[in-house]
Amino acid sequence: MEINTGKKVGVQLCGFLFWAFFLVKVGYAHPSIHGSSQSLKAVSSLSDYSAFNVSGTVTDASSGKPLPGVNVILKGKPTTGTSTNKNGHYSLSVPSSQDTLVFSYIGYRKKKVPIKGRSRINVKLKSKTISGKQMVVVGYGTEQRSNLAGAEGTVSSTDLKNTNVASPDQALQGRIAGVSVHTNSHAPGGSISVTVRGTSSLTAGGTPLYVIDGVPISTSYETGQTSGGVGNGARPNPLNSIDISNIASIQVLKGASAAAIYGSRAANGVVLITTKHGKKGQQNIDFKSSVGISTISHKLNFMNATQYAKQINEGQQENGNPPTYSQQQIDSFGKGTDWQNQVFRKAVSQNYNLTFSGGSNNINYLVSGHSKIDNGIIRNSNFKRYGIKTNIEANPNSKLKIGTNLSYNDVVNNRVRTSAKGYGSQPGLISSVISAPPTIPARDSLGNPSNFSSYTGGGGLENPLVLTDKYKEQANTNRFIGNFHFTYNILKNLALRTRFGADLRNWRYYQYFPIGSEASAGSNGKATQNSELTVNLVDNNTLTYKKQFNNQSIKVLGGFSYQKQKDNTLSASAYGFPSDFYKYNNLGLGTNPQAPSSGASKWTLISYFARLHYILANKYILTASYRIDGNSKFGANNKYGTFPSVSAAWKLGNEKFIKNLNLFSHLKLRFGYGQTGDAEIGTYQSLSSISTSNGQFGAYAYNGKQVPIAYPNGIANPDLSWEKTKEFNYGLDMGFVNDRLTISANYYDKKTTAMLLNQPIPRQSGFSSVLDNIGKMRNTGVEVQISSENVVSKSFNWNTSFNISGNRNKVLSLGGTNYIYTGWGIYAGNYIHGSHVTRIQVGHSVSNFYGVVYDGLWKSKKQIKNVGTMPSATPGSIRYKDLNGDGTWSPNKDSKFLGTASPKFQFGLTNNFSYKNFDLHVFIYGEYGNKVYDIPLEHTLYNGSGLSAKRVKKRWTPQSPNNPYPAANSGSMFTINSADVVDASFLRFKNVTLTYHIPVSKRNNNGIFRKASIGVSVDNLAVITSYPGYDPEVNSFGGGHSPNKTKGVDRYAYPASRTIRFNLNLGF
Amino acid sequence: MQFFKKMNKSFQSILGLLLLLIFIGLISGCSLNEQPYSSVATKDFYKNQSQAQVALNGVYARFWWGIYTTNLIYLNGNPGGLPLQHYPNPNNYDDFSWTASANELQSDWTVGYDAINRANTLLDHLNHSKIPTNVKKNIAGQAKFLRDLVYFNMVELWGGVPLYKHGTTSLKNVNKPRTSKDSVYAFIENDLQSAVSDMSPYSKSDHKAGKATSGAARALLAKVYAQQQKWSKAAAECKKVINMNVFGLMPDYHNVFSPAYNNNKEMIFSIQHLQGGHTSSRSNGYPFSFGPAGQSTSNGSVHFYNVGRGLVYWQADSSFFKHTPDTYRKQQTMRDSMPYYYPSGSSNLVHKTVKLNRPFIVKYYYLDQSTGNLKTNMGIPVLRYSDVLLTYAEALNEANNGPTPAAYQAINKVRARARAVGTSHQQPESVYPPLSGLSQKAFRDSVLMEEAREFVGEGHRRLDLLRHNMFISNAKKHGINAQDYQKLYPLPSAELNRNPNLKQNPGY
């Protein structure tokens, strides 16, 4: 939504007012849900007459700072209680002076204090966040952090509260060492790549397994995404149909020893997402909202119309042609059209979340609704999500616990095509903006986008405003993720837990190319609808046995799981419409209906698993797990695989000789080994079957009528199996000064064998490749995570968390071949294996660009003749290095590696400051040493038609042959060129948030508010980089089935934005 | 909840046991066999007539890609001067500087072998299918014709190529080395003879539909003989096609390619196409590759159809244009002026002659005046009756050390048609008189020039010159630095990387 369309703002404002009104109304009408402290006070006052009064102050054990809002209740009688005021003071009447008080506070350890007749009891609470007692989620269970032996990382809800991310994977960005979260596209709802500990697969999936409340969800689209030309850009994020506002924690199982319990899907790590639950004894209403204004963070500098026309004329002159523009025309052009200003806008985004949560002794609930509206900075691009979330848990009796987690989201993503030049004649927006001559007016006299074909230089190009305003592209997702579960304690130590989960996704893609547009050339409008229905069902059953005796603790888990996924795709399109009015909504009206297509596929996964967790003397920890996975996707000879793991830890800090050093507050050595797999490939890959088609890219005609076709699609591979990853992990955890400073470090060595590769076979076979387990790859890396409480005082607090990690990737084998080319680049046509930009070679890392080396310009005809390596070059065109020195430049023989898209290291830094009622949050992350192949740079600067302002005064002319940029008549060489492979290291100020906590005791004369805060955030405040394009964090090939082969290509990607956001959080 | 509270202990134990049983029960009864829903296993296909027919369609479908796209013009229609020139500047086929990594070569190889494998797989399975014999034979004949057409194009591009007679079912057969050119030709000749008999008698309805017929297989066989300089066999095969009496020349050259006359009596075999823009593989892309798109002219900035701006790849060679007699055929083939145009930014056709900057090929230019778009649903010509006549004349001249009366008769038929004899456009004989009294060499040169004029924009020129060992000398005559080894194209470099058993052609 644009800021100047007041009508839409009005609608949203009304929505907001309605909620506010609703809350106030409900609040007044039902005092019982005003808040816990008020109702608890009411109860305690009832027993005043016979009471014993006790009071005191609750402080933080380490800082001595008073803690406001601490719950103080009577043990055994949760209805009698109070909470501390802003000075940490409490006062409570209790029935007996021999009762026990229970002090509890979020993030602190609960403390029970018998009154023993005292009337004044001061209590110190210890923070539990870094004390090691924190419970974390592990596969199929929970564990105390201090008792873990594997490599994990956590993002807590406190980390999440300041960010404005759209999906849970984005929330991991910069938070956990070794977890690389790369934004592929800055479009609303755009693609994100999550890589845990380096790229371990080329063909199978590269994304971690996501498990939400125990349900492994589906993260890949099957076929539906690739039809209709959608596959041409960075794909949308499949997780953007999941809201993050009710996430309690995200746990990443990084190392194989921790992840191996998830077997054949764990090689890329496992992300365990746990959503929030209601808390016993509370009745809370929370309302969170934010409104932001986004603008483009960085614009490119293009020529104006006069400069452009002069360059064109100069090029014509150099080619011996008459000038294209007359002097009179040039004089009239002036600055012409700034196409960036035409298509980029200020955009308003909004977030609302309303949550009711609470609980009593044997039931707790959370009911929540949310909406998110992100308007993109490109006209008419936006992302809207509406959803509900319900978590309910009940303990009907001491043996049984039942519960359900349900979420439903509706996502509407209006897109303007970026990250692609487009396929065929479907243009992309950014490439159009870059190509659009500034000499052409944006709109005609009627206010419609001008028709480019009527203007000189506009032939074959689309007006960018036609792309934003008239082309229609929408992706729609309805997604339900839910489960119901129950735990039954068969014996005191033996529990059976069963969970049935479902992930249902209905994806719909709509596309309309308007009449007269380049993309519907000759067809009078093209409309398409694609849909994919994914039904993923899972049944998990585990038996857990726990026993503690003397100084030993033992936990055994055994389980079985069954999961299946069915995909149904349907695609239909029609050409030829009487008007643009119907868009994609009335396919039947098309005079030229296209053959519809549909498909169905199904896979099944059957698993058995077990885990032993043993602790001796709170010093020695041993964990071992074993999983057997059977997967239908693999060859008849290889349906089942096994995945063992073992890890051990030594809590050195608990040994006397360490304790005596008085240096460490905790110290732990960890070792782990595990085997995992990657099974994320399409279905039916091991079979040879017949493909059928009746579409544009596969059909024939007799008698002027289209007929369907059939053809064999591959060679069968009955031995097809999953990729096998073996990983060693060595870890060290340290805590100092009562854990005010903690350091955790890991070194890992991860080797993937049986790597799935589409082994290229000679095309004379009739096929291009067979999928086979032939590759080997190794990733090694170091991860360091540091947390520290720098300043802890009464009024000022400062804490920092920092993580840094570096991964080294090496291809060890590609089966028989030494290298393969991959990744399509527009300007890399005609040479070196078609148009590929990346070469994957044994002994090198993946995502390495490969091409020719820029060596300045040809200064003169004489130089061209004398050097002789490029005899057909023209003066002022690009000179490439004759690398092999054979006297002739040839891209096939004179190419080399130009750099890798993988960073040398990446880091994240979070600083939280609090001063009295103010909080300041600063979050920075970055990557160092990565390269991007910048296609817009080629297009604007080195290609003949280049519009970059840099060329204005610095292009080659016969008079100034030493200028650095090509002559006006220089054409593109159509080959990947080192000048376009640029450093894309960056440091991003992702989020700065200043929050003011309104002192509620003063404001709330009625005691309505439990808490209230207002704040202002800047998302993407600044990016420090030398990258010449819109944004260095880019990957136009991101997403999809095999996202790892090519990274770091900027193929006209969506520019990044800067957002100023105002936040309001209210608790009732 | 009251229910649970009232449960007694034994009831709870029973419940626990039940849950345990459910847990165990779930383990059994799951299968990991993969069940495809929207595709069929290869071994289960080709069982009946309709399956065999869609599989045959799949062979034809490969001709929407590869050589019978603009590649044909790049590789066979364009190199070495006449009659085309790449637009607007010469490309590396014009000046003989092509390389082994050229996309055109790779795509012809890839798509060609796809078609061969599809045809082979169909032929392998056809024997075991339950289809009436005559239908089975007709399908087999078409499949053979199509693979022979591919092999024929391949041997002329590259010389000997790996010869596959059966579909690829395992990795063992994917690395075959090249077979000699003679062996491939021997296979083609044999296979085409069998295709002729499989598709006999000639089916008029198949021809009308755009499918291969026994006539097409004969005509191709004639060309295969001629290309190997087996002149008498070529002449005999041409005679057989002529004697079938089912093919003939269209009196009006303009109608030969017209979508209104698809699969006419002259079009022995063509690649079928449908209406659609310049981006659809369903459409014949030629109209956009040759036609004048938009021009800055004395009448201002104009265009000649609504789509496909900037797609023009070729123009007529200027000297060829200048030296071609002004026959009706020339007017329907090449133009340096157009009788109508659209002013830029307008969709109102102006009927007024406008001079073009350069001569363009208008052979496939059929404007749909209701939409302003070019029609694309005409076939891409592969075998034409005029080709049979000219090959006949050429072969007789070579076989008999000079032109025979039948040779004159054949070529003069084509020349007369160029004057639109028998139509309202008929021109006097003086415009383009019939030939007589020529030496063998003069006749040969006349046939070659006739072929250049008759088949401009159909991708014939390279093969015509190769038949007489004139490909390189002709290029040199036009001032091009051509080398002897360039008679053959290099094998695609990617294929040499994938298959170490392949040896590159000498010189590359």
PDB file of all heavy atoms in Angstrom, chain A residues 162-181:
ATOM      1  N   ASN A 162      12.091  -7.916  19.194  1.00  0.00           N
ATOM      2  CA  ASN A 162      12.317  -6.633  18.528  1.00  0.00           C
ATOM      3  C   ASN A 162      12.311  -6.716  17.007  1.00  0.00           C
ATOM      4  O   ASN A 162      12.256  -5.708  16.330  1.00  0.00           O
ATOM      5  CB  ASN A 162      13.668  -6.057  18.963  1.00  0.00           C
ATOM      6  CG  ASN A 162      13.632  -5.600  20.399  1.00  0.00           C
ATOM      7  OD1 ASN A 162      12.715  -4.896  20.801  1.00  0.00           O
ATOM      8  ND2 ASN A 162      14.603  -6.043  21.179  1.00  0.00           N
ATOM      9  N   THR A 163      12.415  -7.916  16.491  1.00  0.00           N
ATOM     10  CA  THR A 163      12.557  -8.023  15.046  1.00  0.00           C
ATOM     11  C   THR A 163      11.206  -7.977  14.362  1.00  0.00           C
ATOM     12  O   THR A 163      10.160  -8.143  14.978  1.00  0.00           O
ATOM     13  CB  THR A 163      13.245  -9.344  14.659  1.00  0.00           C
ATOM     14  OG1 THR A 163      12.421 -10.395  15.128  1.00  0.00           O
ATOM     15  CG2 THR A 163      14.611  -9.445  15.273  1.00  0.00           C
ATOM     16  N   ASN A 164      11.282  -7.734  13.092  1.00  0.00           N
ATOM     17  CA  ASN A 164      10.059  -7.672  12.295  1.00  0.00           C
ATOM     18  C   ASN A 164      10.168  -8.673  11.164  1.00  0.00           C
ATOM     19  O   ASN A 164      10.040  -8.339  10.006  1.00  0.00           O
ATOM     20  CB  ASN A 164       9.891  -6.255  11.742  1.00  0.00           C
ATOM     21  CG  ASN A 164       8.636  -6.135  10.922  1.00  0.00           C
ATOM     22  OD1 ASN A 164       7.636  -6.785  11.200  1.00  0.00           O
ATOM     23  ND2 ASN A 164       8.696  -5.318   9.872  1.00  0.00           N
ATOM     24  N   VAL A 165      10.520  -9.895  11.492  1.00  0.00           N
ATOM     25  CA  VAL A 165      10.728 -10.872  10.440  1.00  0.00           C
ATOM     26  C   VAL A 165       9.419 -11.548  10.080  1.00  0.00           C
ATOM     27  O   VAL A 165       8.472 -11.553  10.862  1.00  0.00           O
ATOM     28  CB  VAL A 165      11.776 -11.934  10.833  1.00  0.00           C
ATOM     29  CG1 VAL A 165      13.107 -11.280  11.067  1.00  0.00           C
ATOM     30  CG2 VAL A 165      11.330 -12.706  12.054  1.00  0.00           C
ATOM     31  N   ALA A 166       9.384 -12.096   8.881  1.00  0.00           N
ATOM     32  CA  ALA A 166       8.137 -12.655   8.381  1.00  0.00           C
ATOM     33  C   ALA A 166       8.031 -14.152   8.608  1.00  0.00           C
ATOM     34  O   ALA A 166       6.960 -14.713   8.551  1.00  0.00           O
ATOM     35  CB  ALA A 166       7.997 -12.349   6.890  1.00  0.00           C
ATOM     36  N   SER A 167       9.137 -14.804   8.862  1.00  0.00           N
ATOM     37  CA  SER A 167       9.077 -16.259   8.928  1.00  0.00           C
ATOM     38  C   SER A 167      10.106 -16.771   9.934  1.00  0.00           C
ATOM     39  O   SER A 167      11.085 -16.089  10.239  1.00  0.00           O
ATOM     40  CB  SER A 167       9.338 -16.849   7.546  1.00  0.00           C
ATOM     41  OG  SER A 167      10.560 -16.375   7.044  1.00  0.00           O
ATOM     42  N   PRO A 168       9.898 -17.984  10.441  1.00  0.00           N
ATOM     43  CA  PRO A 168      10.775 -18.487  11.498  1.00  0.00           C
ATOM     44  C   PRO A 168      12.223 -18.672  11.062  1.00  0.00           C
ATOM     45  O   PRO A 168      13.133 -18.529  11.872  1.00  0.00           O
ATOM     46  CB  PRO A 168      10.146 -19.828  11.873  1.00  0.00           C
ATOM     47  CG  PRO A 168       9.175 -20.156  10.826  1.00  0.00           C
ATOM     48  CD  PRO A 168       8.758 -18.883  10.193  1.00  0.00           C
ATOM     49  N   ASP A 169      12.445 -18.953   9.781  1.00  0.00           N
ATOM     50  CA  ASP A 169      13.833 -19.122   9.334  1.00  0.00           C
ATOM     51  C   ASP A 169      14.578 -17.795   9.362  1.00  0.00           C
ATOM     52  O   ASP A 169      15.758 -17.721   9.663  1.00  0.00           O
ATOM     53  CB  ASP A 169      13.901 -19.767   7.951  1.00  0.00           C
ATOM     54  CG  ASP A 169      12.901 -19.213   6.970  1.00  0.00           C
ATOM     55  OD1 ASP A 169      12.142 -18.300   7.353  1.00  0.00           O
ATOM     56  OD2 ASP A 169      12.877 -19.686   5.820  1.00  0.00           O
ATOM     57  N   GLN A 170      13.844 -16.722   9.051  1.00  0.00           N
ATOM     58  CA  GLN A 170      14.455 -15.398   9.079  1.00  0.00           C
ATOM     59  C   GLN A 170      14.851 -15.016  10.500  1.00  0.00           C
ATOM     60  O   GLN A 170      15.804 -14.270  10.715  1.00  0.00           O
ATOM     61  CB  GLN A 170      13.449 -14.393   8.534  1.00  0.00           C
ATOM     62  CG  GLN A 170      14.059 -13.342   7.667  1.00  0.00           C
ATOM     63  CD  GLN A 170      13.001 -12.397   7.133  1.00  0.00           C
ATOM     64  OE1 GLN A 170      11.818 -12.700   7.093  1.00  0.00           O
ATOM     65  NE2 GLN A 170      13.443 -11.223   6.734  1.00  0.00           N
ATOM     66  N   ALA A 171      14.098 -15.554  11.459  1.00  0.00           N
ATOM     67  CA  ALA A 171      14.391 -15.239  12.856  1.00  0.00           C
ATOM     68  C   ALA A 171      15.740 -15.800  13.297  1.00  0.00           C
ATOM     69  O   ALA A 171      16.306 -15.366  14.291  1.00  0.00           O
ATOM     70  CB  ALA A 171      13.281 -15.787  13.744  1.00  0.00           C
ATOM     71  N   LEU A 172      16.249 -16.756  12.550  1.00  0.00           N
ATOM     72  CA  LEU A 172      17.538 -17.355  12.916  1.00  0.00           C
ATOM     73  C   LEU A 172      18.712 -16.497  12.458  1.00  0.00           C
ATOM     74  O   LEU A 172      19.852 -16.729  12.846  1.00  0.00           O
ATOM     75  CB  LEU A 172      17.680 -18.738  12.257  1.00  0.00           C
ATOM     76  CG  LEU A 172      16.672 -19.806  12.654  1.00  0.00           C
ATOM     77  CD1 LEU A 172      16.777 -20.999  11.719  1.00  0.00           C
ATOM     78  CD2 LEU A 172      16.924 -20.242  14.083  1.00  0.00           C
ATOM     79  N   GLN A 173      18.411 -15.515  11.603  1.00  0.00           N
ATOM     80  CA  GLN A 173      19.471 -14.740  10.966  1.00  0.00           C
ATOM     81  C   GLN A 173      20.400 -14.075  11.983  1.00  0.00           C
ATOM     82  O   GLN A 173      19.976 -13.320  12.843  1.00  0.00           O
ATOM     83  CB  GLN A 173      18.826 -13.666  10.092  1.00  0.00           C
ATOM     84  CG  GLN A 173      19.734 -13.086   9.060  1.00  0.00           C
ATOM     85  CD  GLN A 173      18.938 -12.555   7.869  1.00  0.00           C
ATOM     86  OE1 GLN A 173      17.865 -11.981   8.041  1.00  0.00           O
ATOM     87  NE2 GLN A 173      19.441 -12.743   6.676  1.00  0.00           N
ATOM     88  N   GLY A 174      21.678 -14.399  11.887  1.00  0.00           N
ATOM     89  CA  GLY A 174      22.680 -13.750  12.720  1.00  0.00           C
ATOM     90  C   GLY A 174      22.678 -14.155  14.180  1.00  0.00           C
ATOM     91  O   GLY A 174      23.410 -13.600  14.974  1.00  0.00           O
ATOM     92  N   ARG A 175      21.857 -15.139  14.561  1.00  0.00           N
ATOM     93  CA  ARG A 175      21.691 -15.449  15.978  1.00  0.00           C
ATOM     94  C   ARG A 175      22.542 -16.616  16.438  1.00  0.00           C
ATOM     95  O   ARG A 175      22.916 -16.668  17.599  1.00  0.00           O
ATOM     96  CB  ARG A 175      20.224 -15.775  16.281  1.00  0.00           C
ATOM     97  CG  ARG A 175      19.250 -14.701  15.909  1.00  0.00           C
ATOM     98  CD  ARG A 175      19.394 -13.500  16.809  1.00  0.00           C
ATOM     99  NE  ARG A 175      18.355 -12.520  16.534  1.00  0.00           N
ATOM    100  CZ  ARG A 175      18.255 -11.353  17.146  1.00  0.00           C
ATOM    101  NH1 ARG A 175      19.154 -11.003  18.062  1.00  0.00           N
ATOM    102  NH2 ARG A 175      17.312 -10.519  16.848  1.00  0.00           N
ATOM    103  N   ILE A 176      22.763 -17.569  15.555  1.00  0.00           N
ATOM    104  CA  ILE A 176      23.411 -18.804  15.994  1.00  0.00           C
ATOM    105  C   ILE A 176      24.646 -19.053  15.134  1.00  0.00           C
ATOM    106  O   ILE A 176      24.560 -19.056  13.905  1.00  0.00           O
ATOM    107  CB  ILE A 176      22.443 -20.008  15.880  1.00  0.00           C
ATOM    108  CG1 ILE A 176      21.201 -19.745  16.736  1.00  0.00           C
ATOM    109  CG2 ILE A 176      23.139 -21.290  16.297  1.00  0.00           C
ATOM    110  CD1 ILE A 176      20.149 -20.800  16.605  1.00  0.00           C
ATOM    111  N   ALA A 177      25.758 -19.240  15.793  1.00  0.00           N
ATOM    112  CA  ALA A 177      26.987 -19.524  15.068  1.00  0.00           C
ATOM    113  C   ALA A 177      26.825 -20.789  14.257  1.00  0.00           C
ATOM    114  O   ALA A 177      26.293 -21.785  14.756  1.00  0.00           O
ATOM    115  CB  ALA A 177      28.146 -19.680  16.053  1.00  0.00           C
ATOM    116  N   GLY A 178      27.237 -20.758  13.019  1.00  0.00           N
ATOM    117  CA  GLY A 178      27.155 -21.938  12.173  1.00  0.00           C
ATOM    118  C   GLY A 178      25.855 -22.071  11.414  1.00  0.00           C
ATOM    119  O   GLY A 178      25.714 -22.945  10.587  1.00  0.00           O
ATOM    120  N   VAL A 179      24.904 -21.204  11.715  1.00  0.00           N
ATOM    121  CA  VAL A 179      23.641 -21.229  10.989  1.00  0.00           C
ATOM    122  C   VAL A 179      23.614 -20.000  10.094  1.00  0.00           C
ATOM    123  O   VAL A 179      23.508 -18.874  10.571  1.00  0.00           O
ATOM    124  CB  VAL A 179      22.435 -21.236  11.941  1.00  0.00           C
ATOM    125  CG1 VAL A 179      21.138 -21.229  11.156  1.00  0.00           C
ATOM    126  CG2 VAL A 179      22.495 -22.449  12.851  1.00  0.00           C
ATOM    127  N   SER A 180      23.759 -20.230   8.818  1.00  0.00           N
ATOM    128  CA  SER A 180      23.812 -19.123   7.877  1.00  0.00           C
ATOM    129  C   SER A 180      22.427 -18.893   7.304  1.00  0.00           C
ATOM    130  O   SER A 180      21.826 -19.795   6.730  1.00  0.00           O
ATOM    131  CB  SER A 180      24.797 -19.468   6.762  1.00  0.00           C
ATOM    132  OG  SER A 180      24.534 -18.705   5.623  1.00  0.00           O
ATOM    133  N   VAL A 181      21.916 -17.693   7.507  1.00  0.00           N
ATOM    134  CA  VAL A 181      20.604 -17.363   6.968  1.00  0.00           C
ATOM    135  C   VAL A 181      20.793 -16.227   5.983  1.00  0.00           C
ATOM    136  O   VAL A 181      21.188 -15.132   6.354  1.00  0.00           O
ATOM    137  CB  VAL A 181      19.624 -16.957   8.078  1.00  0.00           C
ATOM    138  CG1 VAL A 181      18.267 -16.619   7.493  1.00  0.00           C
ATOM    139  CG2 VAL A 181      19.508 -18.072   9.097  1.00  0.00           C
TER     140      VAL A 181
END
